[in-house]
Amino acid sequence: MSKLLISIILFFFIGCSPSNSKKIPEIKEIDMESILNSPMSLDRHVLETCYNLNTSLAPIYLNDIMAHLNNKTGLWKECYFSTMSIYCNSLTNDQEPQFQAALFEYFLHNPAQYLSFLDKTTFETSDCLLSKLSAYVNNHVLNDEITLISIKNVVYKHCSDCSDHDIEAIYLYIDLVKKFQDK
């Protein structure tokens, strides 16, 4: 019985104390330990979701995630986008327009990170993002508010470190977005 108790105590101390720092890379912009040990908040939800520490969705945070996504930098921006993407398949009709707009803005200003994220995510999530981005682009392109050429120009401007291969992949994705028809 005492061996079982010691094992449980060791598991608790080894498993609970610094485990968050082992699962999450050091992010200099934040005090990760204080966020993860604080009451639930937007940043804590984003960190826990981004690093699969807690996989339950909390829709009360989605509007704030979308509103703050493009104001973040570095790993924070990637975590906010990753977390936002997890909600893609569970959006309500009221959330769709804001989600699509936030997704489009993220794609325009972070095309290389967007495609890199697609390489790491599930087909279900990447298909959902394609569907939402396509719906947004097709709605606005059809209304002559924007053109594919202007989208490509903005993406090119925000992809200064991209190789020619990266630019070609991004342009092909934009063409796919335009042609995609959600069934």
Side-chain angles (χ1 to χ4, degrees):
M1 179 69 175
S2 64
K3 286 183 180 182
L4 178 60
L5 183 60
I6 291 171
S7 297
I8 291 172
I9 291 171
L10 281 175
F11 177 77
F12 178 78
F13 282 111
I14 292 171
C16 293
S17 59
S19 67
N20 291 335
S21 61
K22 290 180 184 174
K23 294 180 184 177
I24 301 176
E26 184 177 333
I27 302 174
K28 294 179 182 177
E29 304 118 59
I30 63 169
D31 181 2
M32 190 173 49
E33 286 297 319
S34 68
I35 291 173
L36 292 175
N37 293 323
S38 69
M40 188 51 77
S41 65
L42 176 62
D43 286 341
R44 180 175 169 186
H45 172 68
V46 167
L47 279 178
E48 287 181 352
T49 305
C50 181
Y51 291 101
N52 294 318
L53 300 174
N54 181 355
T55 57
S56 28
L57 298 180
I60 62 169
Y61 294 115
L62 181 57
N63 287 340
D64 288 333
I65 291 168
M66 292 184 293
H68 296 307
L69 171 66
N70 288 299
N71 297 331
K72 299 295 181 178
T73 58
L75 285 175
W76 263 128
K77 182 177 276 228
E78 291 176 32
C79 281
Y80 267 70
F81 181 68
S82 175
T83 301
M84 184 183 97
S85 298
I86 290 170
Y87 286 90
C88 189
N89 285 302
S90 62
L91 297 172
T92 65
N93 288 338
D94 293 338
Q95 294 168 325
E96 291 254 349
Q98 185 181 359
F99 185 92
Q100 291 172 356
L103 181 63
F104 180 69
E105 186 175 337
Y106 183 86
F107 174 72
L108 278 182
H109 295 96
N110 307 281
Q113 289 123 350
Y114 181 91
L115 287 187
S116 175
F117 175 79
L118 291 182
D119 285 342
K120 298 178 223 169
T121 195
T122 65
F123 286 118
E124 182 179 275
T125 299
S126 66
D127 285 351
C128 184
L129 294 175
L130 175 62
S131 171
K132 302 304 182 212
L133 190 58
S134 177
Y136 185 85
V137 167
N138 285 317
N139 183 36
H140 290 82
V141 169
L142 293 176
N143 291 331
D144 292 327
E145 293 176 25
I146 54 177
T147 65
L148 285 180
I149 297 298
S150 63
I151 292 171
K152 289 179 178 181
N153 287 338
V154 172
V155 165
Y156 183 79
K157 176 184 167 195
H158 290 285
C159 206
S160 59
D161 294 338
C162 294
S163 68
D164 289 342
H165 178 73
D166 295 336
I167 295 292
E168 183 180 345
I170 292 165
Y171 285 178
L172 287 172
Y173 187 77
I174 293 170
D175 291 339
L176 178 63
V177 164
K178 174 65 177 122
K179 293 175 185 173
F180 182 81
Q181 297 294 317
D182 200 10
K183 295 176 173 127

